[in-house]
Amino acid sequence: ARRGRKGDDDEKLAIFGDRRGRRGSELKVMVAIEHRLPGHLTKHMRPGPTDEDEWGTDVKELKMEEMSWALGKKGATRKKLARASGAIVEYVGNFVHIAGSPEERGYAGEYLSWIMRQLDGPIQIPCKGREDVTVLEIPQECVGYVTGLKRATLSRIEDEWGAFMLFMDRKEDAHKKDTSTLAIF
């Protein structure tokens, strides 16, 4: 065994189970290692797509200042992305690992990009022809009620049903319309 940073010997860990379970477990272990020894794994990580067609892992690098937004309170955004897309989503340092089928990885990557684009303001998402979205027009007088204080009602619905929801209207335009557009993924 090689010598670790603190003088302890490194150990090998065997993970058994189906591919999804093994990869999810491996990523959780990587999260723990990177949390305990920052930079230990991420210094060698590079963003990129998987080489596998059927099932694999895509890696994307985020800026450190984007991490709290991408994770959400107590990891709520990460969990929401995973449930809505069907992919495994884990953050190892400032690298997001998205594991699953090509379709799952595609959805998770797209949802994450929308979340990150929201940092710059409201976004428009092309929903026509998508099979993973339901669009609702919410009357303006109900938007606050549907959203709840600090988004609590929407978050509760997302948690209960494994969905991911975004309002797509700009606040300055909201008063010009009778409804606001809510996309549910």
Side-chain angles (χ1 to χ4, degrees):
R2 296 180 322 197
R3 302 297 289 172
R5 272 192 183 172
K6 302 260 183 193
D8 299 327
D9 290 336
D10 288 347
E11 294 189 31
K12 291 186 179 185
L13 174 67
I15 303 171
F16 298 94
D18 67 5
R19 177 174 37 190
R20 183 176 200 82
R22 289 191 320 268
R23 186 60 175 145
S25 298
E26 178 186 16
L27 288 170
K28 281 292 188 189
V29 170
M30 290 169 64
V31 169
I33 291 168
E34 189 64 23
H35 180 75
R36 180 80 168 109
L37 300 172
H40 183 77
L41 298 172
T42 55
K43 67 183 171 194
H44 301 293
M45 281 185 192
R46 299 290 173 261
T50 186
D51 291 333
E52 302 170 41
D53 292 333
E54 288 302 310
W55 205 95
T57 304
D58 295 344
V59 179
K60 299 173 187 289
E61 186 173 11
L62 299 176
K63 298 175 188 158
M64 287 310 285
E65 59 269 17
E66 296 172 326
M67 289 303 298
S68 64
W69 185 256
L71 266 171
K73 187 177 181 180
K74 296 182 180 178
T77 303
R78 179 192 63 78
K79 293 172 190 170
K80 184 185 344 178
L81 288 175
R83 278 193 312 271
S85 67
I88 298 168
V89 180
E90 290 292 344
Y91 298 95
V92 179
N94 63 315
F95 288 84
V96 60
H97 294 249
I98 302 170
S101 70
E103 182 180 58
E104 292 167 341
R105 294 191 317 265
Y107 284 147
E110 200 168 27
Y111 300 164
L112 177 64
S113 74
W114 296 338
I115 287 171
M116 301 318 296
R117 283 181 27 219
Q118 281 187 315
L119 285 169
D120 299 325
I123 62 171
Q124 288 297 312
I125 300 166
C127 296
K128 192 171 183 113
R130 294 184 68 109
E131 294 181 14
D132 65 328
V133 66
T134 299
V135 177
L136 292 177
E137 293 296 328
I138 309 296
Q140 287 297 344
E141 56 270 9
C142 296
V143 170
Y145 182 73
V146 169
T147 305
L149 182 63
K150 294 185 178 179
R151 208 178 177 284
T153 304
L154 279 183
S155 292
R156 191 174 63 248
I157 294 167
E158 288 171 330
D159 289 344
E160 181 177 350
W161 295 102
F164 166 58
M165 296 189 270
L166 295 169
F167 275 102
M168 297 193 301
D169 302 299
R170 297 183 331 178
K171 287 183 182 178
E172 59 269 14
D173 293 339
H175 70 280
K176 298 175 188 174
K177 293 176 49 184
D178 292 335
T179 62
S180 282
T181 305
L182 178 66
I184 305 170
F185 295 90

